[in-house]
Every structure is written in C-alpha cells, then in structure tokens.
C-alpha cells in the first residue's frame, strides 16, 4: 500500500485565489447591473484593467458561465447573459422553501437580545433607504437573512441560498429603484415583530409575501426593460 504520509505536508490555501477575486468583482457588477444584460466583456480588457494575466479571468468567466451569467461563444463576443424569467422563478421557489425553514427554526431558539441586534441592523437599513443607497440596502438586506440562517443553526444554508438567489438579485436591484427598498424594509420591521412575539401563525404568510413579491416585480420590470430579458 502506498505511503500517504506525504499528504501531511499539504496546507489549506487561505489566501484567496486571483480567479476568486475576479469572479467576486464581476459577479457583483453583474448583479448590481453595473454590467447590464447584453454587455460585451473581454478577457483581454478585464485582465488589462486589473493588471493580471488572462488565465484567472478565463477561470472566472467559466464559473460565471456555469451559473448562467455569461454567454461564451467561440469566435464571437462574450456577453452578459440576459435575465431568464424561468431561472428567477425557480430561484424564488427554492429560496422560499429554505428560508421558511430557517426562519421557523430561528423563531424556536432566538433570544430577545438577538432580536435587539437585528433591530440595530434595521436602523442601518432605514438610513440606507433614506439616503437612497441602493447597493448599501441590498447588502444590509442580505445581512438580515443571512443572520437568520446563522441563528437557526443552518448557516450553511445561506451559501446555497446566496448562489441560487443570484438570478433574483438582478431583478431585485432594479426593483429597488422603483420603491421596493421601502417595502422590503417595512416587511423586515413586521418580520422582526413576529420573531419577538414568537408568532408562528403569522410568520409563513408574511415571509411568503415578502419573498414572493419578486414575481409581481418581474412582470413590471420585464415590461419596462424588455431588452434585459431573454
């Protein structure tokens, strides 16, 4: 039998790979529509802008294409994929199923002190809404939902939710420009009230409405910006 002791010299890679950094930057620009659907992107131009070689950019492009955000066509320009209505609705279904389970689990174990901490987060959300800081609110919105998964003891679920909901995020970000941030913030206030009261009967309908509103928003945005959609 081969001696496996040589494996002991291997150490976990703690420093993020360049390709990971490129992926995260492009991923965020796509979700926030800094790179709108249909935009042409080039490995050469991205590599030059970042001062790196083309290989990590190529790796990042491949990961984005696997997630459905880049359309890589041989001998033709690579473009940011248009929004798939089917992918958005599929992501909505999976997000509601997972988050409902997490919110229910969190309600069973959450302390008043943890609700207090979440209310401090909502104060930051209120500031972002008042300042029309859409990117800031989007990030704080995610923070709230991530913390619920952590309180529930299912923090691993957030990684899956985050990946799946990415197809919703482009629609969500557009919706923030038409008043959705205030509606989402109002929902968060009600959800925290329900958590503090441990009101199991109201949780599911309110959370379904909160996360399911994306379907109505989708129809409105598709009508206003048809060029963004497949």
């Amino acid at each position: 039998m081969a001696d496996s002791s040589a494996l002991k010299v291997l150490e976990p890679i703690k420093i993020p790979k360049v390709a990971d950094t490129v992926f995260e930057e492009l991923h965020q620009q796509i979700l926030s529509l800094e790179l709108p659907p249909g935009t042409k992107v080039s490995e050469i131009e991205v590599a030059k802008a970042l001062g790196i070689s083309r290989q990590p950019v190529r790796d990042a492009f491949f990961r984005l294409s696997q997630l459905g955000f880049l359309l890589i066509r041989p001998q033709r320009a690579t473009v940011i994929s248009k929004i798939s209505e089917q992918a958005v609705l599929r992501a909505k279904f999976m997000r509601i199923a997972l988050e409902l389970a997490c919110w229910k689990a969190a309600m069973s174990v959450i302390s008043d002190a943890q609700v207090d901490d979440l209310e401090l987060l909502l104060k930051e959300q209120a500031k972002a809404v008042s300042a029309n800081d859409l990117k800031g609110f989007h990030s704080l919105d995610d923070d709230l939902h991530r913390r619920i998964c952590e309180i529930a003891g299912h923090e691993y679920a957030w990684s899956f939710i985050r990946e799946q909901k990415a197809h919703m995020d482009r629609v969500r970000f557009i919706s923030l420009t038409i008043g959705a941030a205030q509606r989402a913030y109002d929902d968060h206030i009600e959800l925290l009230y329900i958590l503090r009261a441990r009101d199991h009967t109201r949780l599911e309908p309110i959370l379904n409405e909160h996360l399911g509103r994306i379907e109505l928003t989708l129809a409105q945005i598709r009508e206003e910006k048809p060029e963004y959609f497949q």
Side-chain angles (χ1 to χ4, degrees), residues 11-92:
E11 294 290 340
I13 299 175
K14 298 179 180 179
I15 300 175
K17 294 180 180 178
V18 174
D20 293 338
T21 303
V22 177
F23 170 83
E24 288 294 339
E25 177 62 27
L26 292 175
H27 189 252
Q28 287 303 312
Q29 289 194 29
I30 290 170
L31 299 191
S32 65
L33 299 172
E34 292 176 55
L35 290 173
T39 302
K40 295 180 181 180
V41 289
S42 160
E43 285 182 13
I44 296 175
E45 291 177 0
V46 172
K48 184 177 180 180
L50 297 175
I52 59 177
S53 68
R54 289 179 62 182
Q55 186 58 51
V57 177
R58 185 175 297 116
D59 293 343
F61 273 26
F62 177 75
R63 288 174 62 187
L64 289 165
S65 71
Q66 292 297 100
L67 290 174
F69 292 116
L70 269 190
L71 182 59
I72 300 175
R73 304 171 296 180
Q75 310 305 317
R76 299 175 66 187
T78 296
V79 298
I80 307 299
S81 300
K82 294 194 174 185
I83 298 170
S84 163
E85 184 172 353
Q86 182 182 26
V88 172
L89 295 178
R90 186 167 55 239
K92 184 207 76 168

